Amino acid sequence: MTQIASEVLVQRLIAWGVDTVYGLPGDGINGIMEGLRRHADRIKFVLVHHEEAAAFMAVGHAKSTGRIGVCLATSGPGGIHLLNGLYDAKLDHQPVLAITGMQETSVLGTAYQQEVRLDQVFADVAEYNLVVDNPAQLPGVVDLAIRTAYARRGVAHLTVPNDVQVADADADPYQHMGPGAPPRTAPIYLAPPGVPRAEDLRAAAEVLDAGERVAILAGAGALHARREVLAVADVLGAPVIKTLPGKAVIPDDSPYAVGGIGLLGTRPGEDLVEDCDTLLMVGTNFPYTKHLPEPGKVRVVQLEADPARAGARLPTEVPMIGDAKEGLAALLPLLTRKHDRGHLEKYQKAMDGWRRRMADLESPRRDPIAPQYLVACVDRAASDDAILTCDSGTIATWAARHWTIRGDRGFYLSGNLASMAPGLPYAIAMQHAHPDRQVIAFVGDGGFAMLMAEFLTAARYGLPITVVVNNNGSLGQILWEQMVLGFPEHGVRFGAPASDFSGWARSCGGYGRKVTDPGELAGAVAEALAHPGPALLDVDVDPNEPPMPGKVEYQQAKKFAQAFLRGQPNKAAIATTLFKDRISHLGH
């Protein structure tokens, strides 16, 4: 059988260590699908129900393994559907390769059916972006696309016209000299960016040694550097703030952990930002500058892998370019141990109080079920190496505060894009990549409904993910954001009939259970986690539980009150929930 050009594409992916492609077939990629079929013994095609989910799965694969994720979509609308997931990769700096189809080269430019210039559509999202118009290009451009995705931590895109896909693999109408065998140095693209310059390390040590109230802000770029972050925190007597994508950098019960900052953060984390005189930023380019120290009031040292991001958020006295793990290891022997632990002990005491407040909100006696109690039940029942994926919205607040990082636990969500709906596709890809680990998707009813067909994907492949739906019958985060702007809620509650996704799970061949009674919740969580296949727990929670920021500002409280005065339709129920929260806190 004659080898077709698509086989060259597939073989090159295999040479780079790609073992899975997530996608949805279409007539624009039939040639590529044939290439995958011919090499199905070495590379797996995972069939999804929506291309957006395929892109999210590729991102989830990249986030949890560090290796490139690959997604595939047909021409026109199929390729367009990839975009949201690809922007998640772009904004969270994950290596992803998107492969799409295109009409035959002979009809391009003739307004042919589904003719969309996907290379132009992808121009903003992709670091490498090419229409392949000659089979001889394929080995070399696949290499370049993957190298670029790794090197620039972003998206690469190849779109291949139908006639090129099925052309003879040796066809070269333009008589080019094609590249040879794939490089043997492929692992170099997985290597970290290395150790910062010696003079930068010395300058950083001088600034940190001079600080009296040092804080560390650690992000996703430091997820592999837990030991080093803790060692530096110990020497400096520095409390550690974690960004939400960097939640798993250090354990939540560490004596150095003060939680996060921002709307989903903790009160001690917010106080520390205003109190520190020196800030060490490691593996983060935290975008919400209003929650960072006021420029000029603190001395800043940043350890960042990308020179373009160093110093982008705050005036930075010492920007160090390098890997978080290697950089901190090199910095550590240059630091002088701080023997005064008063600064650290102040925030340890504050965190003890914060943890008690969060535990109060996890009461099993509250009815309707408190979302905090739902996450607490999942947290207590899950294994010490469980992976939790999360959607955006109020659920991110509950997960940030009540999902405890301990052992080798993981935590993943759409960070900078903050997209709805990645929780389920992330979980599918991560369960596929880590078959021996427990993978839990914590999602809202709004986000789950967007891509709920992918639960059928999990069932088809026998993936034992556990989906926990925090069902408040609304777009909860938007509801509270409207009120914080001073506007009564509008258009954010789904209303009757109340959704019940457990039936959908059972119809897919998985486990499905609806829970409305707080007394049944702990047992139901344990039962779902123990199920050997895909399981879904749909839990009705209090729809009026506010995701209050760790530190309420005067203007926020004022606008909230204005929403009540202007006719907030559910103000009685909201007031009752706030009163219950207050009573819970009075227990300590």
Side-chain angles (χ1 to χ4, degrees):
M1 182 165 43
T2 302
Q3 187 182 50
I4 60 175
S6 291
E7 289 183 82
V8 178
L9 167 64
V10 171
Q11 289 167 339
R12 210 63 163 194
L13 294 178
I14 294 169
W16 278 91
V18 175
D19 58 14
T20 305
V21 175
Y22 301 95
L24 186 65
D27 59 4
I29 51 171
N30 280 334
I32 296 173
M33 292 301 300
E34 173 62 10
L36 288 167
R37 186 194 68 81
R38 294 185 185 185
H39 298 276
D41 58 331
R42 291 192 292 164
I43 190 166
K44 184 171 185 176
F45 176 73
V46 173
L47 173 62
V48 305
H49 289 272
H50 195 290
E51 292 91 351
E52 181 180 357
F56 277 136
M57 289 176 194
V59 180
H61 177 93
K63 285 185 174 183
S64 67
T65 67
R67 294 184 173 273
I68 193 163
V70 181
C71 54
L72 173 66
T74 191
S75 54
I80 294 168
H81 283 161
L82 291 175
L83 279 172
N84 195 51
L86 296 181
Y87 271 102
D88 187 37
K90 173 185 172 74
L91 270 63
D92 280 356
H93 313 292
Q94 297 301 317
V96 167
L97 172 63
I99 302 170
T100 62
M102 186 173 280
Q103 283 69 26
E104 288 82 356
T105 55
S106 61
V107 300
L108 292 179
T110 67
Y112 201 76
Q113 184 185 32
Q114 292 189 336
E115 183 184 347
V116 176
R117 293 305 302 240
L118 290 175
D119 55 319
Q120 297 177 23
V121 174
F122 283 36
D124 179 61
V125 76
E127 297 287 342
Y128 185 91
N129 187 17
L130 184 71
V131 179
V132 179
D133 52 20
N134 183 347
Q137 288 178 275
L138 276 167
V141 299
V142 172
D143 291 348
L144 285 169
I146 293 178
R147 285 188 185 125
T148 303
Y150 275 131
R152 298 182 184 170
R153 306 294 299 177
V155 175
H157 172 233
L158 295 174
T159 186
V160 188
N162 277 337
D163 51 334
V164 176
Q165 294 174 31
V166 297
D168 189 314
D170 296 324
D172 184 3
Y174 307 110
Q175 296 301 307
H176 287 100
M177 177 63 70
R184 295 185 179 182
T185 55
I188 194 173
Y189 297 98
L190 299 176
V195 181
R197 299 187 308 172
E199 55 265 41
D200 293 338
L201 289 165
R202 288 193 297 269
E206 290 177 5
V207 172
L208 295 169
D209 283 344
E212 296 181 358
R213 302 184 309 280
V214 182
I216 297 174
L217 176 61
L223 284 171
H224 64 306
R226 174 179 291 185
R227 182 180 301 177
E228 291 73 18
V229 170
L230 290 171
V232 170
D234 178 58
V235 170
L236 295 175
V240 179
I241 305 165
K242 300 182 293 181
T243 68
L244 196 53
K247 181 174 170 61
V249 171
I250 67 172
D252 281 314
D253 60 358
S254 165
Y256 303 100
V258 294
I261 52 175
L263 295 177
L264 282 63
T266 66
R267 176 64 183 261
E270 288 287 302
D271 288 343
L272 177 60
V273 165
E274 298 176 2
D275 182 40
C276 66
D277 62 10
T278 308
L279 180 65
L280 171 59
M281 299 174 66
V282 183
T284 180
N285 191 36
F286 189 77
Y288 305 106
T289 52
K290 67 175 290 186
H291 295 285
L292 292 174
E294 187 176 334
K297 288 200 171 182
V298 298
R299 303 181 74 183
V300 179
V301 173
Q302 186 173 4
L303 177 53
E304 168 60 56
D306 185 348
R309 296 198 296 265
R313 304 302 182 192
L314 283 174
T316 303
E317 193 165 338
V318 184
M320 295 183 289
I321 308 306
D323 173 64
K325 184 179 183 69
E326 294 188 41
L328 292 178
L331 177 65
L332 191 60
L334 304 179
L335 298 172
T336 302
R337 183 174 183 82
K338 296 186 186 296
H339 296 288
D340 183 351
R341 306 313 250 188
H343 174 61
L344 176 61
E345 290 168 356
K346 172 183 176 180
Y347 286 95
Q348 289 172 338
K349 183 178 179 180
M351 276 305 292
D352 287 342
W354 175 265
R355 291 184 181 108
R356 286 194 298 270
R357 289 185 62 198
M358 293 301 101
D360 291 341
L361 296 174
E362 297 169 359
S363 171
R365 296 182 298 276
R366 296 175 60 187
D367 192 1
I369 296 170
Q372 298 95 328
Y373 178 54
L374 170 57
V375 185
C377 288
V378 174
D379 181 65
R380 292 163 192 158
S383 63
D384 284 353
D385 68 345
I387 296 172
L388 186 80
T389 67
C390 184
D391 272 359
S392 299
T394 56
I395 46 175
T397 301
W398 315 135
R401 294 175 178 173
H402 301 274
W403 170 254
T404 306
I405 297 299
R406 61 174 185 265
D408 294 323
R409 281 185 169 182
F411 177 76
Y412 299 95
L413 80 170
S414 175
N416 287 303
L417 186 63
S419 174
M420 293 179 68
L424 175 57
Y426 273 13
I428 290 171
M430 291 178 189
Q431 188 74 81
H432 177 67
H434 306 280
D436 297 328
R437 294 180 70 175
Q438 195 176 61
V439 180
I440 305 162
F442 181 55
V443 298
D445 53 312
F448 179 73
M450 287 182 172
L451 293 175
M452 61 187 286
E454 302 310 331
F455 190 84
L456 188 56
T457 303
R460 183 185 309 115
Y461 292 99
L463 297 171
I465 62 169
T466 301
V467 179
V468 179
V469 181
N470 181 88
N471 196 333
N472 59 12
S474 68
L475 298 170
Q477 189 70 35
I478 308 304
L479 184 159
W480 297 105
E481 287 173 347
Q482 288 179 353
M483 292 183 65
V484 169
L485 289 171
F487 307 141
E489 66 175 72
H490 181 69
V492 291
R493 298 199 190 239
F494 293 116
S499 57
D500 182 354
F501 297 109
S502 63
W504 165 245
R506 292 191 297 272
S507 73
C508 293
Y511 169 99
R513 181 172 175 180
K514 181 74 167 180
V515 180
T516 59
D517 182 351
E520 297 178 2
L521 184 57
V525 168
E527 190 175 279
L529 289 172
H531 184 72
L536 183 144
L537 204 61
D538 185 353
V539 183
D540 285 356
V541 300
D542 188 347
N544 299 302
E545 181 71 29
M548 301 297 286
K551 187 174 183 178
V552 180
E553 299 175 357
Y554 170 75
Q555 285 299 324
Q556 291 173 323
K558 179 180 176 181
K559 294 291 187 181
F560 195 82
Q562 286 176 352
F564 268 53
L565 293 173
R566 290 172 177 169
Q568 168 62 27
N570 291 277
K571 61 184 178 182
I574 293 170
T576 300
T577 300
L578 289 170
F579 178 74
K580 289 178 181 177
D581 287 350
R582 182 62 180 163
I583 292 296
S584 295
H585 290 324
L586 292 177
H588 288 283

